[in-house]
Amino acid sequence: MDIYTRRGALALSLGSAAFAMGCGSKFVSYRGPEVTRVEIQKSNRAMYLFHHNVLLEPYQVQLGFTAAGPKQFEGDGKTPEGRYHIDRRNPDSAFFLSIGIDYPNAEDRAFAAAAGKPPGGDIFIHGWGDERRGRSSDWTAGCVAVTNREMKLVYAMVRNGTPVDIFA
């Protein structure tokens, strides 16, 4: 059974989970299965939230404006690649809501130091903010973006400490 078939098996579970989508509120409640891993596939602009090996939610994403290759240095406009973790939350983000990814890790810092450059930082999964955007182009400075409506759910579902695997 592939991840998309498993998703159907969870539809009833998620349907009965509480998503309190208040019209004016940017915060919602989630009482469904725990998100144990976030996977981002840069090549197809997709983010998947998993409960172990069961897909809970798929999302289309936008990435850094220079999408090819891993983030290596401050200002390169690239989204990192590798294993990271959610390490912080920003309910007052300029991009609606955001959850932080602990880039740079020790390997990222060592690579940048060897080149004599700063590795950059402040990488988040965040909403679109106040601007209207299309799904067709990458625009962030290295972050992963979803719509504000989607970010409400991501923010509610994903906890600090959750692993984030970012693949080319």
Side-chain angles (χ1 to χ4, degrees), residues 13-146:
S13 173
L14 283 174
S16 63
F19 280 109
M21 296 291 288
C23 293
S25 175
K26 67 181 185 178
F27 300 104
V28 299
S29 296
Y30 172 73
R31 292 187 294 254
E34 175 188 8
V35 174
T36 58
R37 180 171 57 96
V38 175
E39 182 176 303
I40 298 165
Q41 296 177 0
K42 290 171 58 174
S43 61
N44 64 354
R45 305 298 187 278
M47 178 173 71
Y48 304 101
L49 306 185
F50 287 94
H51 174 71
H52 301 294
N53 289 325
V54 178
L55 177 64
L56 299 175
E57 290 292 325
Y59 296 97
Q60 290 182 319
V61 299
Q62 292 85 37
L63 304 169
F65 60 84
T66 307
K71 180 163 197 60
Q72 296 176 320
F73 310 115
E74 184 174 358
D76 65 9
K78 297 180 181 185
T79 300
E81 295 173 6
R83 163 70 52 112
Y84 300 95
H85 294 85
I86 299 300
D87 68 345
R88 61 202 183 279
R89 310 174 83 65
N90 185 356
D92 300 315
S93 173
F95 296 100
F96 189 64
L97 293 169
S98 61
I99 54 177
I101 297 173
D102 67 350
Y103 173 89
N105 60 28
E107 185 178 310
D108 298 321
R109 286 190 297 276
F111 182 86
K117 297 182 178 183
D122 285 336
I123 301 297
F124 288 86
I125 299 170
H126 61 67
W128 286 0
D130 292 336
E131 251 183 79
R132 289 204 168 275
R133 302 179 190 278
R135 290 201 183 264
S136 62
S137 61
D138 294 320
W139 57 272
T140 76
C143 296
V144 177
V146 295

Side-chain angles (χ1 to χ4, degrees), residues 140-163:
T140 76
C143 296
V144 177
V146 295
T147 68
N148 291 349
R149 181 182 171 106
E150 292 166 338
M151 193 61 212
K152 283 183 182 187
L153 297 176
V154 173
Y155 194 88
M157 293 174 75
V158 179
R159 299 281 154 240
N160 287 4
T162 303

